[in-house]
Amino acid sequence: MSERRARPAPRNSVKSVLRRALTTPQPPPADTAPPSPASAAAEPPEVASVVQAALYRDGVRVSSPGTLAETFRELREAPSGMAWIGLARPTESELLSLAAEFDLHPLSVEDAMEAHQRPKLERYGDTLFVVLRAARYLDAPEEVDFGELHVFVGPDFVITVRHGAAPDLSAVRRRMEESPELLGLGPEAVLYAILDAVVDGYAPVVAGVQNDIDEIETEVFRGDPEVSRRIYELSREMVEFQRATRPLVGMLHGLMAGFAKYETDEELQRYLRDVADHVTHTSERVDGFRQALTEILTVNATLVTQQQNAEMRALAEAGFEQNEEIKRISSWAAILFAPTLVGTIYGMNFRHMPELTWSFGYPFAIALMGVICGGLYVIFKRRDWL
């Protein structure tokens, strides 16, 4: 540690100006690099923590150490160099060794160990700590997968820590190595390039989500019973997407506000403006997606309610028709019951029944039956039972 502190602080005025600009609430980038053949052969990618480590001088790679210890040693021996270390799911001992070598703040190291942090940018002395949420769209399950990136940016080093499968930033390293003049601007240039790559990675996610929403709209009007679940799951993903993109807008605008004051390098200004435009556009699209999903859910609920009402109406109409039939049947049964009752009484053959010997008994019984049946018919007819 004493050797590191005694080494002269690297580089030109661009770095110091950029560091002053980064002290305002700002944006941050992501992590990683491609695995070296040696480390890939030693153990599977899921186990290997050091994805790649390299030392640069004036924008050109001068060394590719195989271990962190070699990286530390070579950086001490090259005071004007810059180390770019990419890690994936590092162990606690690896992060502690980095913290001891580069004097990283314990709080930032703790965040990098635990992950599950919100996007943020914090400054600890000469070191900038950035948390970024990357995203990728998975075609097969049609869902969004989120990863977390932690970036430490110091006077002569960049450390990227990746938690999750997204993103693979090896392309960022290759692109920067193909532009030595840009890489020569120092660690802040690497930070902006990583941030630019992560934000560009949001574009396929936006396209995939837009396609999902189009499919959901079709399913809603087709009456798919599973569409409500899909809307809910996609809405939750959009909440996560919002949490990943919305904080970046304010962070990038804070950086842009310091351009004139801190005389930020023009090339990096262009990078930052481009990234800010993309983030703003993405954030607006995500907000629109959430609103669209809310409206689709409302429409789906309305259509489901209408369908249920139609089914209930059909059931009610069927019940009404059944009731009408039952009333008609009951009415005729009552009408037919009256003569049956009279006939039953006079068919009992009791010896002492005065009407049996009455000469008008039969006409009287028939008339009684007619009067009762006619009266019941009139009553039921007035009540619309018949």
Side-chain angles (χ1 to χ4, degrees):
M1 286 301 297
S2 59
E3 294 179 17
R4 278 197 50 77
R5 297 181 184 279
R7 189 172 65 236
R11 200 149 355 242
N12 47 38
S13 59
V14 172
K15 292 183 61 177
S16 59
V17 168
L18 257 291
R19 284 200 299 275
R20 291 200 303 271
L22 289 173
T23 53
T24 60
Q26 290 92 271
D31 155 64
T32 119
S36 64
S39 62
E43 50 188 347
E46 292 80 1
V47 177
S49 295
V50 181
V51 178
Q52 193 173 47
L55 266 65
Y56 300 89
R57 184 179 294 111
D58 298 326
V60 178
R61 184 192 289 228
V62 296
S63 176
S64 300
T67 64
L68 290 178
E70 293 178 12
T71 305
F72 301 156
R73 178 179 55 79
E74 294 186 18
L75 185 59
R76 294 190 195 103
E77 296 172 356
S80 60
M82 177 189 74
W84 184 351
I85 303 171
L87 305 175
R89 301 184 182 90
T91 63
E92 181 177 347
S93 60
E94 287 172 334
L95 284 176
L96 292 178
S97 66
L98 287 169
E101 178 65 23
F102 296 110
D103 195 22
L104 304 180
H105 195 279
L107 291 178
S108 63
V109 175
E110 181 181 355
D111 287 345
M113 287 181 182
E114 296 180 357
H116 305 295
Q117 304 293 318
R118 62 175 179 80
K120 62 181 178 180
L121 184 149
E122 296 177 345
R123 187 170 189 81
Y124 299 98
D126 291 335
T127 302
L128 192 66
F129 176 62
V130 173
V131 178
L132 198 64
R133 298 294 304 279
R136 60 174 181 162
Y137 186 80
L138 304 179
D139 292 320
E142 293 186 330
E143 61 184 26
V144 182
D145 178 54
F146 294 94
E148 188 168 329
L149 301 168
H150 297 199
V151 184
F152 298 89
V153 181
D156 56 354
F157 67 87
V158 176
I159 302 171
T160 58
V161 179
R162 185 186 70 202
H163 293 276
D168 178 10
L169 295 180
S170 57
V172 178
R173 189 185 292 266
R174 290 195 297 270
R175 189 185 71 178
M176 294 294 287
E177 290 179 351
E178 292 171 0
S179 304
E181 69 286 351
L182 181 60
L183 186 56
L185 294 176
E188 290 80 5
V190 177
L191 174 65
Y192 290 136
I194 294 174
L195 180 59
D196 181 59
V198 173
V199 172
D200 285 346
Y202 291 152
V205 179
V206 170
V209 172
Q210 181 64 68
N211 183 66
D212 286 346
I213 291 178
D214 293 340
E215 292 178 356
I216 286 174
E217 289 177 341
T218 302
E219 293 173 0
V220 164
F221 290 101
R222 196 170 56 202
D224 191 327
E226 298 294 327
V227 71
S228 297
R229 180 184 181 87
R230 189 176 181 188
I231 295 172
Y232 173 72
E233 291 175 348
L234 189 57
S235 297
R236 290 185 60 185
E237 291 176 355
M238 289 305 95
V239 171
E240 289 296 318
F241 205 2
Q242 230 176 15
R243 291 173 180 171
T245 58
R246 182 172 289 178
L248 297 183
V249 177
M251 294 160 60
L252 289 169
H253 287 172
L255 277 178
M256 293 169 61
F259 281 169
K261 180 178 180 180
Y262 298 109
E263 300 178 357
T264 305
D265 181 83
E266 292 184 2
E267 184 68 11
L268 296 183
Q269 289 186 32
R270 284 190 285 269
Y271 265 98
L272 188 59
R273 289 195 185 97
D274 181 65
V275 173
D277 289 342
H278 290 176
V279 169
T280 301
H281 176 70
T282 301
S283 181
E284 291 174 351
R285 291 294 301 276
V286 174
D287 291 343
F289 289 156
R290 285 202 63 187
Q291 181 64 30
L293 287 170
T294 300
E295 294 174 355
I296 291 173
L297 189 60
T298 302
V299 170
N300 181 62
T302 301
L303 293 176
V304 170
T305 301
Q306 289 177 348
Q307 183 179 1
Q308 292 175 343
N309 290 341
E311 293 174 354
M312 294 297 294
R313 188 181 303 110
L315 290 174
E317 291 175 354
F320 178 77
E321 292 176 358
Q322 291 177 352
N323 290 337
E324 292 298 314
E325 293 297 327
I326 291 173
K327 287 193 293 185
R328 291 189 183 95
I329 294 173
S330 300
S331 300
W332 286 113
I335 292 173
L336 295 176
F337 175 74
T340 302
L341 177 63
V342 175
T344 302
I345 292 174
Y346 287 104
M348 290 187 292
N349 297 323
F350 288 110
R351 183 179 299 276
H352 301 288
M353 291 184 68
E355 291 85 356
L356 295 180
T357 57
W358 186 30
S359 58
F360 296 103
Y362 176 73
F364 173 77
I366 296 298
L368 180 61
M369 294 179 188
V371 170
I372 295 175
C373 290
L376 290 175
Y377 181 84
V378 171
I379 293 172
F380 292 143
K381 192 69 174 177
R382 288 181 177 177
R383 295 185 177 183
D384 293 330
W385 284 32
L386 292 174

